[in-house]
Amino acid sequence: MDLMTLALPQEPAGGIAGWAADLVDTLGGPGAGLAIALENLFPPLPSEVILPLTGFAAGQGVISLFSALFWTTLGSVVGAAALYGIGVLFGRERMHALWAKLPLVKASDLERTEAWFARHGTKAVFFGRMVPIFRSLISVPAGVERMRLPVFLALTTLGSLVWNSVLVLAGYWLGDQWDAVEVYVGLLSKVVLVLAVAAVALYLALRVRSRKRPKSGTEARHRRAG
């Protein structure tokens, strides 16, 4: 059974969907796992395309549903573990050195972030696996903060299994309309990205304002003294 002609009647060899379909068609479940591992390492690769397509393949009997869920979850864990390793290699010392060179930030900001991760890191890793964009990024600070590897892998596996199951089953049930999942999850990704950019912009604006305020107050005191 040719997944390419079944899954992609309009674009049988085009784009990310064509690439992912070719991997699944050639390698089966491990191909889906490889695609998702790469998606974790390169977030622009959309899981909202790869996972529903894999579910559709399972619905057509190209691979089993168990294989779809097993290999995509394994791929998620492998990709996340690689990013965790990057965080470990980068380390806290380099993070602090880099942070010190950034404008508009203080060492205390990073220390508060580390304290927050120490308290809430387990929830961040688990639920972060279900948030587009952050599902990849959350692995790096987990490595930098040296979260215990067994805990990280367990949380990543559980969170990835939830996210992957939702999208794979959606593609499985929707059949040849599997690509409808991309529309809704893609919209969610855009909303998350906009909120993240807005949060960073607000943080920088508040930081600039807080830096200006002490200076203006000092100048006012000097004027009054004169």
Side-chain angles (χ1 to χ4, degrees):
M1 185 176 294
D2 189 352
L3 175 60
M4 297 293 288
T5 56
L6 283 172
L8 302 166
Q10 296 179 343
E11 288 185 304
I16 299 298
W19 168 76
D22 191 38
L23 276 178
V24 176
D25 212 25
T26 304
L27 302 175
L34 175 61
I36 287 298
L38 293 173
E39 179 267 333
N40 275 262
L41 293 171
F42 306 103
L45 292 176
S47 63
E48 60 266 27
V49 171
I50 299 169
L51 291 171
L53 177 61
T54 303
F56 174 73
Q60 296 299 312
V62 177
I63 58 176
S64 69
L65 184 58
F66 173 81
S67 178
L69 294 173
F70 173 80
W71 285 106
T72 55
T73 299
L74 180 61
S76 296
V77 174
V78 169
L83 291 173
Y84 175 93
I86 291 173
V88 170
L89 290 174
F90 192 76
R92 292 182 73 251
E93 290 185 4
R94 287 198 183 102
M95 177 63 74
H96 277 269
L98 176 63
W99 192 266
K101 296 177 182 178
L102 296 176
L104 304 176
V105 296
K106 299 178 180 177
S108 58
D109 295 327
L110 181 55
E111 291 167 359
R112 282 195 294 269
T113 301
E114 290 175 333
W116 180 91
F117 196 89
R119 293 193 303 271
H120 306 291
T122 53
K123 294 189 286 290
V125 169
F126 177 74
F127 290 108
R129 299 302 307 172
M130 307 172 211
V131 180
I133 300 173
F134 291 103
R135 55 195 305 270
S136 294
L137 300 180
I138 193 62
S139 301
V140 177
V144 170
E145 295 300 321
R146 298 294 182 97
M147 174 181 280
R148 290 196 302 122
L149 185 58
V151 174
F152 173 78
L153 293 177
L155 293 169
T156 299
T157 300
L158 291 174
S160 298
L161 181 60
V162 172
W163 173 260
N164 293 356
S165 295
V166 170
L167 269 65
V168 167
L169 289 173
Y172 183 84
W173 288 325
L174 287 171
D176 57 7
Q177 294 183 327
W178 63 268
D179 54 348
V181 180
E182 179 186 0
V183 176
Y184 296 103
V185 180
L187 179 61
L188 176 61
S189 298
K190 290 181 176 64
V191 170
V192 170
L193 181 59
V194 168
L195 290 175
V197 171
V200 171
L202 178 61
Y203 169 81
L204 293 176
L206 292 174
R207 177 61 66 196
V208 169
R209 187 176 178 182
S210 66
R211 284 201 168 193
K212 287 182 177 180
R213 190 174 298 163
K215 183 177 179 181
S216 61
T218 301
E219 291 174 351
R221 286 194 297 272
H222 281 307
R223 284 196 295 271
R224 286 197 299 268

